[in-house]
Amino acid sequence: MASPSYTKFRELLDQKSFREAASLAERNSLLAGEDSSFWLTQRAVALNLAGRCDEALTAADQALRKKPGNPYALLARAEACLGSGRPEDALACYEEALRTSEARVLARARRGVLQSLSALKHWPRVLGSLGEWNLPAPQALPWRVKALAGLGRREESLEACAELLRAVPDNRQALWEMTELEISRDGLEAVRLRFARLARIPSRPSVYREIYASLCRRAGKVEEALGQYEKLSAVGPDVRIQKKQIYALAKAGREQEALPLMEEQLRLSPADFYMHTAYDGACARLGDLERKRAFYQELISRYPDEKSLYGRLRKLEKILGVQTQQPPE
């Protein structure tokens, strides 16, 4: 039976309160003393989910020093390495985790090996691993599609997409991969028109409208893309869709509409580099640096441990010629 502390930790993860979960894990690790590997691993898991991969790497390394070979700490370390752009290091950790006999760890380690090899574009090794492991078709085919496309074997990759869609109809990854492959073969406009027809079919899942909106953006038909994103947002909140809607609004010159949505995203993910970049650009185009300053002050009050925010505010206040807020010691 799970302890009350671990039950609370899982509840925080389910609520996407990753920073609070990381703090809870840190407190429990200090209480555990020499037996802290478990809680240090949980801290690394929560920090990875919060996007704080450098801190997650530190926590995972501490867990491994306490308990060398801990497979869950190895997985957490690998995920931190992947998240911080170090796929070679991630691959080494995942391959070490493959030595376990625990089925759950083994499944995650295999998936991580494939992710790392894909990040490194080691496509022959991806195909070799798939052949060695003999994974079920729904698990293997997405990686086969990606590897064949990476090797320039477009028609074989399209056949693998079709096979995956027969096994898992309307599979998101297969549809996106197929779209890119068909664009390389038939051109953007032909594929956009085909998805325009598919997106109008009510029984089709939302991924068809999402792909059509993306194709409209790429074709410069921003207002059509925005119409699709508005329809998708009306169905229910979706962070991924809202981000695409934000970028489309900014591209259309509708920064006044985009700014509140950008701020909403940054309240959820204050370390999101790409959203910060988009927000900086939108504020600059509108000439509204005081709004930007007030918003960064709000973010710091919410996330006083997010050191990157102080640097952003310091740079802005230097431009404005006002007092800079300092991070806590």
Side-chain angles (χ1 to χ4, degrees):
M1 184 176 176
S3 70
S5 292
Y6 185 66
T7 299
K8 178 61 177 176
F9 175 79
R10 295 305 309 180
E11 287 173 356
L12 289 170
L13 293 188
D14 290 341
Q15 295 162 9
K16 301 189 185 303
S17 300
F18 303 131
R19 295 165 192 277
E20 292 87 342
S23 296
L24 174 63
E26 183 178 31
R27 291 195 297 272
N28 279 280
S29 72
L30 293 172
L31 291 172
E34 288 303 309
D35 297 324
S36 60
S37 181
F38 172 82
W39 279 111
L40 287 166
T41 300
Q42 304 315 309
R43 175 167 167 76
V45 167
L47 288 168
N48 276 328
L49 290 169
R52 294 162 66 177
C53 296
D54 290 339
E55 295 173 71
L57 183 59
T58 298
D61 283 340
Q62 290 171 339
L64 286 165
R65 283 195 292 273
K66 295 287 185 181
K67 187 176 178 181
N70 176 351
Y72 290 98
L74 280 170
L75 291 175
R77 187 181 198 282
E79 286 160 16
C81 289
L82 263 188
S84 56
R86 296 164 54 183
E88 286 279 11
D89 292 336
L91 180 61
C93 292
Y94 283 127
E95 287 179 331
E96 186 175 348
L98 284 176
R99 298 172 190 167
T100 185
S101 58
E102 191 170 337
R104 187 167 60 164
V105 173
L106 188 60
R108 286 176 58 189
R110 284 176 172 175
R111 185 168 64 251
V113 165
L114 293 169
Q115 286 176 310
S116 303
L117 291 173
S118 294
L120 293 164
K121 301 188 186 303
H122 290 342
W123 306 121
R125 288 185 63 187
V126 171
L127 294 175
S129 296
L130 292 174
E132 176 187 350
W133 296 334
N134 194 28
L135 299 174
Q139 294 178 31
L141 282 168
W143 298 106
R144 180 168 173 78
V145 167
K146 191 179 288 291
L148 290 170
L151 290 168
R153 292 158 62 177
R154 184 175 62 199
E155 294 307 315
E156 291 176 78
S157 186
L158 278 167
E159 289 173 12
C161 278
E163 186 179 350
L164 177 54
L165 288 167
R166 286 192 294 271
V168 187
D170 303 318
N171 178 270
R172 170 177 291 275
Q173 184 175 345
L175 288 169
W176 279 103
E177 293 281 358
M178 182 184 70
T179 300
E180 293 302 321
L181 291 164
E182 288 183 340
I183 288 172
S184 71
R185 185 187 65 189
D186 304 329
L188 173 59
E189 188 60 10
V191 179
R192 189 186 75 84
L193 291 174
R194 186 168 76 83
F195 269 91
R197 293 190 294 273
L198 292 170
R200 285 195 293 268
I201 301 172
S203 60
R204 294 279 183 180
S206 62
V207 65
Y208 290 90
R209 291 180 285 284
E210 187 181 340
I211 292 174
Y212 176 55
S214 176
L215 295 174
C216 287
R217 278 180 60 199
R218 290 168 66 172
K221 300 181 183 298
V222 181
E223 292 299 328
E224 178 65 20
L226 283 169
Q228 293 297 316
Y229 289 136
E230 286 169 11
K231 290 176 184 175
L232 288 164
S233 297
V235 174
D238 186 318
V239 170
R240 186 186 65 256
I241 296 299
Q242 190 175 65
K243 284 185 176 182
K244 293 181 178 182
Q245 184 179 16
I246 286 168
Y247 296 137
L249 284 167
K251 187 173 181 179
R254 293 163 59 178
E255 281 90 354
Q256 288 286 8
E257 297 170 68
L259 278 180
L261 298 177
M262 291 177 180
E263 289 169 351
E264 183 180 335
Q265 287 294 315
L266 288 169
R267 287 185 186 101
L268 296 172
S269 302
D272 187 329
F273 173 81
Y274 296 104
M275 192 56 63
H276 274 294
T277 301
Y279 185 67
D280 291 347
C283 288
R285 286 190 294 276
L286 290 170
D288 199 350
L289 298 187
E290 284 297 342
R291 173 178 180 153
K292 182 178 172 183
R293 181 182 180 228
F295 178 64
Y296 279 148
Q297 289 174 330
E298 177 199 327
L299 277 187
I300 285 171
S301 70
R302 285 172 176 252
Y303 300 103
D305 295 331
E306 188 59 59
K307 300 275 194 301
S308 65
L309 295 174
Y310 294 90
R312 292 182 180 280
L313 181 61
R314 188 162 53 245
K315 182 178 178 181
L316 175 60
E317 292 185 333
K318 186 176 181 181
I319 295 170
L320 293 170
V322 295
Q323 180 63 43
T324 299
Q325 188 169 347
Q326 297 296 322
E329 293 296 332

